[in-house]
Amino acid sequence: MSPNTLMTIGQQFSRRSWAEPWKIKMVEPLNMITRDDREKALAEAGYNTFLLRSDDVYIDLLTDSGTGAMSDRQWAGMMLGDEAYAGSRNFYHLEAAIQKFYGYKYIVPTHQGRGAEHLISQAVIKKGQYVPGNMYFTTTRLHQELAGGIFVDVIIDEAHDPQILHKFKGNIDLDKLESLIKREGAENIAYVSVAGTVNMAGGQPVSMANIKAVRKLADHHGIKVFLDATRLVENAFFIQEREDGYENRSIAEILLEFCSYSHGAWMSAKKDSLVNIGGWLAVDDRELFEELRNLVVVYEGLHTYGGLAGRDLEAMAIGIAESVQDEHIQSRIGQVRYLGELLTTWGIPIVHPVGGHAIFLDAKAFYPHLEQIKFPAQTLAAELYLDSGIRSMERGIASAGRNAKTGDHNYPKLELTRLTIPRRVYTQAHMDVVAESVRAAYETRDQTRGLKMVYEPKYLRFFQARFERL
Ligand SMILES: *Cc1c(COP(=O)(O)O)cnc(C)c1O
């Protein structure tokens, strides 16, 4: 064998893949019902994947919210639940974890993210005030509006284009923010609401430079900055990967620095923090904390449990520490990318660049023959379920709801079907099956006619709306 041949073989074997930094200790069987039964189940669910029974679902990519697998350590922590009504030791563990990894001083636990959104909105927003944010999130905006706030989208324009390759598509447009402040006056801005990553834009990150600049501008006008910290660990991964000066910083260090540019944050721990239920609110201001701690008693539970059991608080405290480990977040986002790369290779239109928690299929490009009022993204979610029992969700016109003033539908630029990857749950083989099902739906896209909405609930309609086939 010549040295050259040896070198070629050597190069072949020098390929290195990433792998999950865990092994599986317990399994839960999956079941796939027949196509006929899926037809029936979907019609009964009004073509809304939120209304399917999970027993009728094969691979469940509805959401990454509370659907992750806990570690052996988290389960062990559950056994150490201190179910005292007041002052549970697990609360102090959680408090310490948030102080250590997010850096805030005062902590209020809540049963999940929207519980925290409710409290902060009620405490901080005065009726008629504006709340600028980097694209809306469904529950966040609703709580801001219920408190009398007026949401204003100040994300950069690139976020609304599914094909533009921008490193930090979640960034706030400082000109948009500044002109809003100048037009309405700083006293009419409740706070700046920053989410990283931005779910509705496709899980797109915010850069450290951007949050720093937002804080500087806000300080100049005496306005506070609050973070939706739900996926900030994933956001930190993108900063480490893409932003100059952060390539050698740990995820934990980046997270802590990012939070340092805000006055507080709310959290759905069902996402980054690897638990099935839980959330919190944290601030640095003592007076605001006193008010929030008082409000939590009204809506959630005493300020040391916030609607959760002691064991839930313990699992959350352990989950936070696990979530900021570099290997964890690399494999979490690596799996999302694997699916995205397969689909891209096959020419299927998805949002680029691939974000942190999900693949977003571009339903407008998928079904160019369907007008938006025929609910293309809802239709695609229904088609995927029929093909293979995979459950996805709509993030388009149904999710966008109606204009509070005119009552007309909001017509978002992005009409997306989200394949959300639960944390530490599915394998690469499951990702292959999902990609193949999307390809099957893509090959038969011309035959698709769309849906019409036949029942529409008043709040967050996408959860419970019903549709019929056109
Ligand atoms: C899920 C989520 C929320 C709401 O949290 P829940 O725990 O579902 O109530 C808020 N903001 C973002 C960005 C989310 O993804």
Side-chain angles (χ1 to χ4, degrees), residues 98-168:
I98 297 168
Q99 286 167 341
K100 176 173 175 191
F101 292 107
Y102 290 84
Y104 303 109
K105 212 163 171 185
Y106 303 114
I107 283 81
V108 178
T110 60
H111 80 283
Q112 62 183 89
R114 71 199 69 182
E117 291 172 337
H118 176 211
L119 302 183
I120 189 132
S121 302
Q122 293 295 329
V124 177
I125 300 172
K126 293 196 200 89
K127 204 169 168 355
Q129 277 187 325
Y130 293 87
V131 190
N134 51 345
M135 204 174 264
Y136 82 100
F137 183 73
T138 51
T139 56
T140 315
R141 184 179 67 184
L142 181 60
H143 280 296
Q144 289 164 348
E145 287 175 351
L146 288 172
I150 304 161
F151 171 80
V152 184
D153 187 3
V154 293
I155 201 166
I156 57 172
D157 287 338
E158 286 88 339
H160 294 281
D161 184 326
Q163 297 312 324
I164 291 184
L165 291 173
H166 185 293
K167 283 191 204 166
F168 292 102

Side-chain angles (χ1 to χ4, degrees), residues 39-63:
E39 283 278 3
K40 264 186 235 145
L42 190 63
E44 264 170 40
Y47 295 86
N48 184 346
T49 51
F50 277 103
L51 300 179
L52 287 167
R53 290 165 186 251
S54 75
D55 277 348
D56 295 335
V57 171
Y58 172 46
I59 296 175
D60 202 345
L61 307 184
L62 183 72
T63 171

Side-chain angles (χ1 to χ4, degrees), residues 9 24 158 181 224 315-316 344 378 386 441 458 468:
I9 293 172
I24 297 166
E158 286 88 339
I181 298 170
K224 290 202 166 166
M316 205 178 348
T344 306
Q378 191 80 34
L386 281 183
K458 189 166 165 207
E468 277 172 14

